DNA sequence: TTAATAGTGTCTTTCAGACAATATTAT
DNA sequence: ATAATATTGTCTGAAAGACACTATTAA
């Protein structure tokens, strides 16, 4: 092993998704300083670490850093209110030597699944942050276009195998609301009848709360039953995206 | 963003798996210096990066660093011979502040799927390296026990959804050899008849080479047909581990 | 000849997907 | 009343898993 450690930078970047108007939005910030000043980027920053006068390391773990960055940008406090319900998950690291013009920086990227959070407070940070539809999240700073693309593929796959779609919803939700999450993330409508039966047949995906919605749909229809997230960590059987046969070959 | 970059170390660690004697082995090195001197650890080391006299960054990407480390430890050259057939894949990063007693080090961990490589040449590096059955890969330095555990779960899952089991085999292989890979990684035997039909029914998993083995099995049996890896990147439908229903709940 | 192994046949159950049908509600 | 929506019913075909069966080969 080469025991000399070059001074590299380590950042965390968070790809925070939420759902508004039946589509997927991502949280972006406007950069206040160089490089890419004025450009849009993912919320993120350097992992904090320092030594005290005895030489002992005081630093944060990667998960902590990601949660801190998300809290800073949204103006919410970690573990409080809506942020307490956000699911954070590391998904990849990026370390191309030229990805940051200042120095060699390795970025650890996180996915965040957020219920509809409030718009970030404008004066909360030097940078302004805001939610943007994923289709409009282009021409980002650094290699963040690639990170968003990878994150999108990851979240689409995650919804197939885990019950984390519920992390986009409130504590109680209807099957139709859950279906809307899948439709927004996968970018296609799903057959309502089959989705309904499928969700209820997967053990631990959702559990009934016994209640129903106060009103029917905006344009009519019966009042729907309400459910809560169940205790499953994985969906078995999985809820696979339709028509993926063509994505399989080289 | 906090624009000051603390000096953190960045390493890559490689969890290289191979199959011998129908079980899974992992490549470990013996540490030549502190910390954990004399202890066993995953092959790995600091990502290289330096600035020239103009201040330009010359560094390696994470994938490059992982391949370099693996080549150094095995004594093979990257892109040459058996190493050219190794599949390398990033799977997680670890950054607990105290995971390395010297300083705050973030490690990017890679999986390697290797055909049966030769034993590392003894004098190739300051450290001695060797293959160890995964069940015996305990009490490793740093947080490498956790990394191996995570890698094991990842490779088990990867075999469900990708054709990468073929990366453990030579260019041509029999269905029974492929089944032995699955059995070694999943730690359980699979029904031969169903596995056979299943593999052949997944488009692009394997393609026939037309040939058969020179001899039948050691204790009798017909000569088996030979196959090569196909062009699929994903298995559709997937080849799921049996009896996972109980792993689903909290 | 015997035992082991490759490969095929067949049956049952589960699951995915298409689509019809019914019930409830907003307008 | 009408249209929209939640939920249930039914059918078809794919896929998983159990297990019997045949053919081929080493010893």
């Amino acid at each position: 092993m080469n025991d000399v450690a070059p001074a590299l930078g380590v950042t965390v970047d968070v790809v925070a998704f939420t759902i508004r108007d039946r589509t997927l939005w991502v949280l972006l910030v406007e950069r206040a300083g160089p490089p890419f000043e004025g450009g849009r980027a993912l919320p993120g920053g350097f992992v904090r670490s320092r030594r005290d006068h005895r030489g002992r390391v005081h630093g944060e773990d990667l998960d902590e850093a990601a949660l801190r960055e998300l809290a800073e940008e949204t103006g919410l406090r970690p573990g409080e209110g809506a942020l307490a319900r956000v699911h954070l998950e590391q998904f990849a690291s990026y370390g191309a030597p030229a990805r940051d013009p200042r120095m060699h920086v390795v970025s650890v990227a996180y996915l965040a699944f957020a219920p509809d959070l409030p718009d970030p407070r404008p004066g909360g940070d030097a940078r302004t942050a805001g939610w943007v539809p994923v289709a409009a999240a282009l021409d980002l700073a650094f290699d963040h276009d690639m990170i968003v693309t990878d994150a999108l593929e990851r979240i689409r796959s995650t919804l197939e195998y885990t019950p984390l779609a519920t992390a986009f919803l409130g504590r109680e939700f209807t099957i139709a609301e859950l279906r809307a999450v899948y439709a927004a993330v996968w970018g296609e409508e799903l057959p309502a009848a089959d989705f309904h039966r499928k969700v209820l047949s997967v053990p631990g995906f959702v559990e009934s709360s016994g209640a129903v919605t106060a009103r029917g749909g905006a344009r009519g229809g019966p009042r729907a039953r309400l459910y809560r997230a169940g205790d499953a960590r994985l969906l078995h059987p999985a809820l696979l995206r339709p028509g993926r046969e063509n994505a399989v070959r080289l």
Side-chain angles (χ1 to χ4, degrees), chain A:
Chain A
M1 190 202 294
N2 187 353
D3 254 351
V4 282
L8 268 70
V10 180
T11 61
V12 294
D13 288 312
V14 180
V15 188
F17 289 114
T18 197
I19 289 176
R20 290 183 171 181
D21 307 329
R22 306 184 72 86
T23 61
L24 198 61
W25 297 55
V26 63
L27 185 64
L28 296 180
V29 301
E30 185 174 325
R31 290 187 55 79
F36 302 100
E37 181 165 358
R40 295 183 302 172
L42 293 170
F46 287 103
V47 173
R48 291 180 182 168
S49 191
R50 62 176 185 80
R51 288 174 180 278
D52 64 17
H53 62 282
R54 289 173 175 160
R56 293 175 64 95
V57 171
H58 295 262
E60 57 187 356
D61 202 345
L62 301 172
D63 294 7
E64 285 175 52
L67 184 58
R68 174 180 55 75
E69 288 293 342
L70 186 59
E72 287 176 3
E73 302 304 341
T74 56
L76 300 169
R77 300 197 181 185
E80 184 183 288
L83 255 197
R85 297 196 47 255
V86 171
H87 174 81
L88 260 179
E89 174 181 309
Q90 186 195 301
F91 78 94
S93 296
Y94 299 82
R99 59 180 295 280
D100 188 316
R102 295 167 294 183
M103 63 181 295
H104 195 163
V105 174
V106 172
S107 176
V108 183
Y110 278 78
L111 273 184
F113 300 63
D116 196 358
L117 295 178
D119 273 306
R121 54 178 185 184
D125 195 288
R127 298 171 298 178
T128 57
W131 294 98
V132 174
V134 283
L138 301 170
D139 301 313
L140 307 184
F142 306 105
D143 52 359
H144 289 186
D145 280 336
M146 175 169 55
I147 296 179
V148 169
T149 299
D150 292 351
L152 199 48
E153 176 50 34
R154 171 64 78 104
I155 194 183
R156 285 176 174 152
S157 171
T158 298
L159 257 55
E160 295 187 304
Y161 302 108
T162 76
L164 288 173
T166 59
F168 285 111
L169 299 171
R171 206 175 65 85
E172 294 199 330
F173 50 84
T174 67
I175 302 290
E177 287 166 347
L178 186 61
R179 177 161 49 86
V181 171
Y182 276 88
V185 174
W186 287 350
E188 60 186 317
E189 292 304 316
L190 300 175
D194 294 330
F195 182 86
H196 191 106
R197 191 186 355 250
K198 173 87 190 195
V199 166
L200 295 184
S201 76
V202 175
F205 192 174
V206 299
E207 58 183 26
S208 174
S209 82
V212 296
T213 53
R215 288 180 39 95
R219 285 172 288 181
R223 298 189 288 169
R225 293 181 203 154
L226 288 166
Y227 296 86
R228 285 190 283 266
D231 60 357
R233 288 175 305 179
L234 294 171
L235 301 185
H236 187 87
L239 218 164
L240 300 177
R241 278 175 275 185
R244 296 239 75 206
E245 294 80 6
N246 302 327
V248 167
R249 296 309 194 87
L250 284 177

